[in-house]
Structures are given as structure tokens and as C-alpha cells.
Amino acid sequence: MLVVDDELDITELITLYLQREGYTVHTADNGEDALRIAETLIPDLIVLDMNLGKMDGIEVCRSLRSGACADVPIVFLSCKSEDRDIIRGLSEGGDDYITKPFSPGQLVARIQAHIRRRRTRERNGEDAAAVLSFPGLEIDFRTLEVRLNGDKVALSAKEFELLSVLARQPNRVFPLEELYRRVWQSDSMGDTRTLMVHVSNLRKKMESDPARPRWVQTVRGFGYRFSPGTPGDD
């Protein structure tokens, strides 16, 4: 586990809570050290402060996503709670976004959910022999790849999981709470904006017209569904 924050008291607090749960924790207080440690150790998860000074969290996240830590879950910490800040963090590769001040217990629970999901996926290979095929779309759980009209779509780990949950039960409407629980492996709903941003990012990568999505559609007042049929208005 890697915790990156330039506020020592926060780093020590998170480290204390994680060590109580039996995790080995490495820390860094700047982006350069964070990248060096991450590329060397390949941690199970990275807690990353957005505001690090010379090299901010967004820059660190971009570098991590282009290297050996491309699939490592990243949980952003930030004192910024505006929609545009959350959207930016998740769009740049974050898997989760938690605002300061935060509950250490809730942070640990979210971290455990990400790690549990990743380890389950690695252990089971997401049904290693399974391939879901729809007209123009293929989801391969052996290689964790998605192909749209024959072209590979570069999805983040959470985007792939989100698509997988929906596509395994086409046309079923998933309430927001259930979809969040399945993808983030948490009984707590957390921030609905996290789920909505990931849906938005998924559409931008997969839909020719994200405003009229073919694949991941909104059922207003209920949640989302995967539709292998025709586009709908969102």
C-alpha cells in the first residue's frame, strides 16, 4: 500500500489505521518519490493527495497510468469538493475520490473494497473462459479487453468492471446503490458522483454519440442498464 500526502499528520493517521488492518504501508510526501516507490513496489493500492505542490496528484496519476501501475487502484484525497474537481480526478484515472476532512474508518473501508475486488478478479480471472459477444462489441474476460467494431477500447479497471456488471445481464435496470455496491464492493453508497463520472467516461470511450448512448443507458429515476439494441435518449 502506498500513501502519498504532503501533510505528515494525515499520512501518519492513514498509516496507523491501515496498519491496524494488517497492511504494509509505504509513504511519500511528493510526486517524484511516489512514482519511484510505486514503479519499484507495484503496490496493491495508492492513496493519492491531489495537492502535492511541484508535481500534483493529477500529474502523478497520469504517469502511473502509463507505466507498471496502470491497473493499480488509485484513491484520490482532496480538500476540493466541487463537481468539476471530482470529475477531473476520476476522468484522469482515479478509481475513487474522497474529500477532506474525511473519516479514517470510511477511507479504510473503501480501500478494502477496492483491494478485495481486485484480488477476487485476479484469483478468478473474471470467469477466465468467458467472452461476452454482442453485435459490434466483445468483452473478453480472459484478457480483460473490450473491442468495439474490432477496435480495442482502452478502459480503466473500474470502467471495465462497470461495463462487465451491466453487460452480464443485458436490459436489466441496476439501481445506483446496487451498481455501486457491485463495482466498488462496498455496502456504503459513497458519493453518487463517482459512479456517474465513471458512466460518463465509459460512454465517451464507447459511444459514437454519448448524448444518445447505445450501450449504457440511463433509466431515469431508477439507474442504468446495458442495452445491446438501439440508442436511447439520456
Side-chain angles (χ1 to χ4, degrees):
M1 192 87 61
L2 174 60
V3 178
V4 187
D5 200 301
D6 58 4
E7 296 183 61
L8 182 59
D9 56 341
I10 290 180
T11 301
E12 291 179 341
L13 178 64
I14 297 173
T15 298
L16 176 63
Y17 271 79
L18 289 173
Q19 287 178 336
R20 284 177 178 176
E21 298 298 324
Y23 296 109
T24 299
V25 182
H26 301 270
T27 64
D29 62 6
N30 61 80
E32 292 82 359
D33 286 348
L35 290 175
R36 177 180 53 79
I37 295 171
E39 293 294 321
T40 301
L41 300 177
I42 315 298
D44 289 329
L45 181 141
I46 300 169
V47 178
L48 180 59
D49 184 25
M50 288 279 280
N51 303 308
L52 290 174
K54 183 178 179 181
M55 187 180 192
D56 67 15
I58 292 295
E59 292 179 89
V60 174
C61 184
R62 287 173 182 161
S63 296
L64 290 168
R65 289 304 185 219
S66 64
C69 295
D71 296 325
V72 174
I74 295 175
V75 177
F76 273 120
L77 286 181
S78 177
C79 59
K80 299 178 180 179
S81 60
E82 296 293 328
D83 281 354
R84 63 177 180 273
D85 299 308
I86 297 173
I87 290 170
R88 185 185 180 211
L90 297 175
S91 297
E92 293 288 353
D95 295 288
D96 211 341
Y97 190 106
I98 296 177
T99 56
K100 299 177 181 180
F102 59 90
S103 161
Q106 185 184 92
L107 172 62
V108 171
R110 301 269 278 272
I111 287 172
Q112 290 175 323
H114 285 290
I115 291 177
R116 184 166 59 246
R117 178 60 175 168
R118 187 183 187 208
R119 288 177 176 172
T120 299
R121 186 177 72 246
E122 291 173 346
R123 183 171 60 250
N124 297 336
E126 286 285 4
D127 298 332
V131 177
L132 290 180
S133 296
F134 305 94
L137 178 66
E138 183 177 272
I139 304 171
D140 191 331
F141 296 100
R142 298 165 301 186
T143 61
L144 303 182
E145 292 182 347
V146 173
R147 285 186 169 77
L148 188 61
N149 299 318
D151 297 324
K152 183 178 176 180
V153 182
L155 300 183
S156 70
K158 274 292 177 284
E159 290 162 0
F160 183 89
E161 291 171 14
L162 176 59
L163 177 62
S164 299
V165 169
L166 291 166
R168 287 183 187 278
Q169 299 185 61
N171 295 313
R172 180 195 165 186
V173 178
F174 284 85
L176 297 180
E177 294 82 1
E178 180 180 355
L179 193 54
Y180 185 91
R181 186 172 65 251
R182 287 190 176 218
V183 176
W184 276 266
Q185 295 288 296
S186 174
D187 292 331
S188 172
M189 179 58 199
D191 195 328
T192 57
R193 291 175 295 186
T194 298
L195 174 58
M196 295 169 67
V197 169
H198 277 80
V199 169
S200 176
N201 291 341
L202 185 60
R203 286 172 172 166
K204 289 175 183 177
K205 294 178 179 180
M206 292 186 61
E207 306 286 356
S208 57
D209 182 2
R212 299 186 68 247
R214 171 183 177 180
W215 303 108
V216 180
Q217 299 179 354
T218 300
V219 180
R220 297 191 183 282
F222 293 95
Y224 296 103
R225 70 180 175 197
F226 176 86
S227 175
T230 56
D233 294 323
D234 196 48

